[in-house]
Amino acid sequence: MKRLLLSSLAVCALAFPAQAADCPAITIADMQGVAAGAHLQQYEVSEFQAAGSCTLVFHENPAIGALNDQIQGNPALPALAERLPSEPLVVVPYEAIGIYGGTMDALSNATEAGTSDFMSTRHVNLVRYSDDLQTIVPNVAKGWEWNADYTQLTFFLRKGHKWSDGAPFTAEDVKFWYDNLALDPKVIEKPKDYVLVAGQRMTVDVIDPQTVRFNLPAPKPGLLAHFATHFAQGFQPKHFLGQFHPAVDPNADKNAQALGYENGYAVISAYYGNSDWMDTATPMLNSPDKVASLPKAAAPTLESFIVIKETTEGRHFVANPYFYMVDTAGQQLPYINEQDEVFINEQEVRLLKLVNGEVDYKSQTLQLADAPILLENQEKADYSIQLKPGIALHAFSFNVTSEDLEKRKVFGDVRFRKAMSIAINRDELNEVAYFGEGTPQQYIGFSPAPSFVDPKWHQFAIEFDQDGAKALLDEVGMVDKDGDGFRELPNGDKIVLNMQFATQGIAGQVVELVGQYWSQVGVQTAIKEVTPDEYRSAQSSNQLDVGMWEKGQPIAIVLGNNELFVPPFENYFAHRTGMLWAEWVDSKGTKGVEPPEYVKQMAADINAFQSTLVGTPESDAIGARLVENMVSNLLFIGTVISPGPIYHRNALKNFTEFKTASYEYYRTYPYRPQQWFFVDGK
């Protein structure tokens, strides 16, 4: 079984008394200098007690009853011993055993757009990455086991684990998520790659209430890393949502109509949504007129907090009274009582709230360009800024399947894309927009680069060469025919690149400079800031000329999700191009536009790559070909990889040093935010 390194428990025992007694309230700070410290983060309670010959006595938040009273449809609370699993997950706090109370103030862009940062503070999944970003450790699942050829993945759940309404959480909830939500086209129109293996479905077997097995049609070792990094949770409450699913309950439509909905699927949409996004709107926002008569305002959760109020301006959460984690003093987590989230789209307003110390934690939407003002005010407003390396880099793309056929011809010509790449002065861009803190490089898909990546690809077409760019544009047939200083399309039509951007995905300074560089080689640009929702809507409807967002993933994520190498080359929330290529792929050639051969090769290669053991010559050869096809064709044009700011108020404790400022490992998830607490009584 692959799980926590049990050898580290012997080290932990040094802090324990020899005879059976109450367990000492140890912290990571108590273990400084201990070998394998990155793994001394959490234990199963039996391991923790056995290592120190001690008994862990459990304690609850004194306010938990009052918090539970605010959750619509939740019954009165039983004793804590009946709410915790028989084997809770014991979290070792970073600095101190926490103090209960307080409200965490969070800031997001808008409902469903720009909320992943805050989502990650309450997120749970079957497993997670440790804060070393290398070791996968238990979370909702207490353990797992692969078979020899990575075609069976078995998860072991916690006996007595309960949903936020007190109903049992079992293997049936995992199977329900997979069979009845993830693969039901009436819930999610198209199944995501991570629930498939080379395009084929898995099967899920319930072995017993605490054991669930994924059977894969071919090897896919990266499936485990998917559960460790992704927002989509591998379980949903069958006892609640199942009563509205016709494959689970024959009375599903009747049950829904009694609540005022057309059918059962309409209720599932109201509670769960129609995608895998963890943060879709609840009935409080999508069906406010029905909420009072519904059994619950939000579906039960395993997360540390549950939403109790939601409007277009924000949301409010309270601690989950059935949460399955405790600290080393036996106190049920989370320490913080409530969370309050405000939606603000304007970057200037967000920054003002941050420099005034009105927010407790923030990383998403913050760019390196924001660092000077944040650093300047941190002492005055009593907050701290960490500048940490990024994983994704700012990248640009052109709409290779534009609805405008003349643009499509040009954008689809690799000579044009190369011209636009070498027109960018990345050294100047780095100095001006990134304060010299970044590294100019090309987009290669993988970040950081695995050993099979030839270093030449990082440098491909990143030299600043305006004359070369102009010569390539001439070859394409884009010349200035009317003498106004800007080139026309080969057929003589005017072209102005509409560069719509959202600060959630890229800094405005970067967009402005790149727009200037392109104008200097004769390609006219028009720059406009839009909201993330507006950007994503335009991208999804194939209306963008230029895509621009952060892009790049570690190999662990690529092994579980093929999206970077298959049209449209990422998901709704991220950086995509080739929307009509994707339509052709999805329709098996009956709709859309047929992609070129190198795109078909990447789609085949990524499936083979995911099923091949990493580090073997076969795997390395496939990976190298993926990189060559992606980079040499310049579907995405990289700029500079740079650090990013991470903000937190100093009164928020057990906030550790992050390894990266990134979305790719799911932001705060490796750093166990359930242990955060306040010392200023807020």
Side-chain angles (χ1 to χ4, degrees):
M1 184 182 296
K2 300 176 181 178
R3 50 184 307 142
L4 280 171
L5 298 181
L6 300 187
S7 60
S8 64
L9 290 168
V11 178
C12 186
L14 296 175
F16 292 173
Q19 70 282 2
D22 288 353
C23 292
I26 60 171
T27 68
I28 293 290
D30 297 327
M31 301 178 178
Q32 291 305 309
V34 173
H39 307 297
L40 297 175
Q41 297 186 342
Q42 61 182 45
Y43 301 103
E44 302 309 320
V45 69
S46 60
E47 298 167 347
F48 185 75
Q49 295 180 143
S53 301
C54 61
T55 301
L56 196 58
V57 179
F58 299 121
H59 309 279
E60 68 178 16
N61 183 340
I64 199 67
L67 296 172
N68 180 69
D69 289 343
Q70 300 181 61
I71 304 173
Q72 181 176 326
N74 260 26
L77 291 182
L80 179 61
E82 298 176 48
R83 304 201 310 268
L84 289 172
S86 60
E87 208 162 11
L89 184 62
V90 181
V91 172
V92 183
Y94 282 116
E95 299 171 357
I97 299 299
I99 302 167
Y100 283 124
T103 299
M104 176 183 167
D105 289 314
L107 186 61
S108 296
N109 285 47
T111 306
E112 296 185 44
T115 64
S116 67
D117 203 17
F118 175 58
M119 276 167 52
S120 73
T121 69
R122 62 182 194 276
H123 175 66
V124 297
N125 214 328
L126 292 167
V127 292
R128 69 174 179 88
Y129 269 97
S130 168
D131 62 13
D132 64 1
L133 304 187
Q134 297 179 38
T135 311
I136 295 178
V137 297
N139 199 258
V140 167
K142 61 181 287 187
W144 67 89
E145 189 170 71
W146 279 108
N147 67 347
D149 66 355
Y150 293 94
T151 58
Q152 279 191 344
L153 176 58
T154 304
F155 286 105
F156 307 101
L157 308 180
R158 302 172 190 281
K159 188 175 182 179
H161 194 167
K162 296 179 175 64
W163 290 95
S164 57
D165 62 352
F169 164 64
T170 73
E172 292 286 353
D173 297 306
V174 178
K175 183 173 176 61
F176 170 72
W177 159 75
Y178 188 81
D179 289 349
N180 303 118
L181 299 177
L183 289 181
D184 188 335
K186 293 184 178 179
V187 179
I188 298 177
E189 183 178 1
K190 175 189 172 185
K192 305 297 181 179
D193 172 69
Y194 58 78
V195 302
L196 305 172
V197 180
Q200 302 301 309
R201 67 160 291 164
M202 300 179 277
T203 60
V204 178
D205 293 337
V206 173
I207 309 302
D208 60 47
Q210 277 72 55
T211 311
V212 62
R213 178 170 295 148
F214 288 81
N215 303 292
L216 289 61
K220 191 174 182 179
L223 178 63
L224 185 68
H226 159 75
F227 287 120
T229 58
H230 206 264
F231 56 77
Q233 296 165 328
F235 40 80
Q236 287 298 322
K238 180 179 180 180
H239 73 281
F240 182 70
L241 294 179
Q243 64 187 314
F244 306 110
H245 197 291
V248 175
D249 190 329
N251 295 315
D253 289 344
K254 187 181 296 184
N255 295 338
Q257 289 157 4
L259 300 177
Y261 290 88
E262 180 182 359
N263 55 42
Y265 281 114
V267 180
I268 290 174
S269 178
Y271 281 104
Y272 178 72
N274 294 105
S275 75
D276 60 348
W277 186 237
M278 188 181 105
D279 225 10
T280 54
T282 67
M284 289 178 277
L285 189 60
N286 61 45
S287 312
D289 56 320
K290 295 182 173 69
V291 171
S293 60
L294 294 179
K296 300 181 188 298
T301 185
L302 299 183
E303 298 166 18
S304 53
F305 291 84
I306 182 168
V307 62
I308 61 166
K309 181 181 179 182
E310 181 174 26
T311 70
T312 55
E313 276 119 37
R315 295 178 294 188
H316 196 82
F317 298 75
V318 297
N320 176 0
Y322 291 87
F323 195 55
Y324 62 98
M325 297 183 191
V326 299
D327 67 15
T328 58
Q331 295 184 127
Q332 185 185 28
L333 298 178
Y335 295 128
I336 294 174
N337 283 358
E338 303 178 61
Q339 293 182 327
D340 197 68
E341 179 183 28
V342 177
F343 300 144
I344 297 177
N345 271 316
E346 296 76 19
Q347 179 73 345
E348 295 80 6
V349 179
R350 289 196 297 264
L351 283 173
L352 182 61
K353 284 187 167 290
L354 292 170
V355 299
N356 287 338
E358 298 175 28
V359 179
D360 291 309
Y361 158 76
K362 188 66 181 168
S363 180
Q364 186 177 21
T365 75
L366 298 184
Q367 307 285 350
L368 187 59
D370 303 319
I373 190 171
L374 292 172
L375 290 168
E376 179 184 342
N377 288 277
Q378 62 180 342
E379 185 174 349
K380 179 177 68 175
D382 199 23
Y383 62 80
S384 293
I385 298 295
Q386 298 179 17
L387 288 176
K388 295 298 179 181
I391 288 178
L393 80 165
H394 291 144
F396 292 80
S397 67
F398 290 94
N399 188 349
V400 291
T401 61
S402 173
E403 301 287 356
D404 184 319
L405 295 182
E406 294 303 317
K407 287 182 179 179
R408 187 188 300 178
K409 290 177 187 175
V410 169
F411 295 164
D413 191 323
V414 71
R415 294 172 298 176
F416 171 81
R417 300 196 295 272
K418 184 175 182 181
M420 302 305 270
S421 182
I422 63 177
I424 299 171
N425 187 341
R426 288 172 177 79
D427 288 335
E428 181 179 80
L429 183 67
N430 183 32
E431 291 300 322
V432 175
Y434 301 96
F435 313 108
E437 296 294 324
T439 302
Q441 67 179 55
Q442 192 53 266
Y443 171 78
I444 65 168
F446 297 94
S447 181
S451 60
F452 57 74
V453 177
D454 190 323
K456 72 179 182 181
W457 295 120
H458 272 135
Q459 305 302 312
F460 182 78
I462 70 167
E463 69 276 11
F464 177 49
D465 183 1
Q466 286 187 331
D467 290 338
K470 292 174 182 177
L472 285 169
L473 292 170
D474 289 343
E475 285 183 31
V476 171
M478 291 184 68
V479 296
D480 179 11
K481 295 180 179 179
D482 61 9
D484 67 350
F486 292 108
R487 299 170 184 269
E488 283 79 48
L489 291 168
N491 71 345
D493 287 352
K494 282 279 189 185
I495 179 172
V496 179
L497 293 179
N498 293 311
M499 300 178 65
Q500 300 179 50
F501 76 96
T503 55
Q504 181 185 328
I506 194 167
Q509 296 92 326
V510 175
V511 178
E512 290 168 4
L513 280 168
V514 170
Q516 290 175 23
Y517 298 141
W518 289 345
S519 294
Q520 288 166 8
V521 297
V523 181
Q524 191 171 5
T525 61
I527 297 170
K528 180 184 179 182
E529 182 178 349
V530 296
T531 67
D533 284 334
E534 290 170 330
Y535 177 90
R536 287 165 173 148
S537 176
Q539 183 173 247
S540 297
S541 58
N542 203 32
Q543 298 302 307
L544 292 181
D545 282 344
V546 186
M548 54 197 92
W549 204 269
E550 292 183 330
K551 197 168 182 70
Q553 292 176 358
I555 189 173
I557 295 177
V558 175
L559 286 167
N561 196 333
N562 72 5
E563 63 185 6
L564 290 191
F565 294 95
V566 176
F569 307 105
E570 212 160 347
N571 57 63
Y572 171 80
F573 299 100
H575 190 166
R576 298 183 289 170
T577 191
M579 298 299 296
L580 298 184
W581 289 350
E583 188 176 6
W584 186 91
V585 172
D586 291 344
S587 69
K588 298 184 176 8
T590 63
K591 298 179 182 177
V593 174
E594 184 174 2
E597 287 304 314
Y598 77 88
V599 172
K600 296 178 185 177
Q601 180 70 59
M602 285 196 296
D605 280 345
I606 187 60
N607 288 333
F609 185 71
Q610 290 181 336
S611 288
T612 306
L613 191 61
V614 173
T616 61
E618 182 185 3
S619 171
D620 287 353
I622 299 170
R625 189 165 59 238
L626 281 167
V627 172
E628 180 174 2
N629 271 322
M630 176 61 74
V631 182
S632 65
N633 288 287
L634 291 169
L635 280 176
F636 299 91
I637 296 170
T639 56
V640 174
I641 190 164
S642 69
I646 299 167
Y647 170 108
H648 81 280
R649 269 201 331 122
N650 293 331
L652 185 65
K653 298 303 181 182
N654 282 338
F655 193 99
T656 192
E657 284 283 321
F658 286 31
K659 292 231 171 7
T660 70
S662 69
Y663 168 83
E664 285 65 41
Y665 288 96
Y666 208 44
R667 303 196 185 278
T668 66
Y669 188 41
Y671 308 103
R672 302 173 300 142
Q674 298 86 1
Q675 64 177 301
W676 291 352
F677 70 97
F678 293 110
V679 292
D680 61 355
K682 69 168 289 181

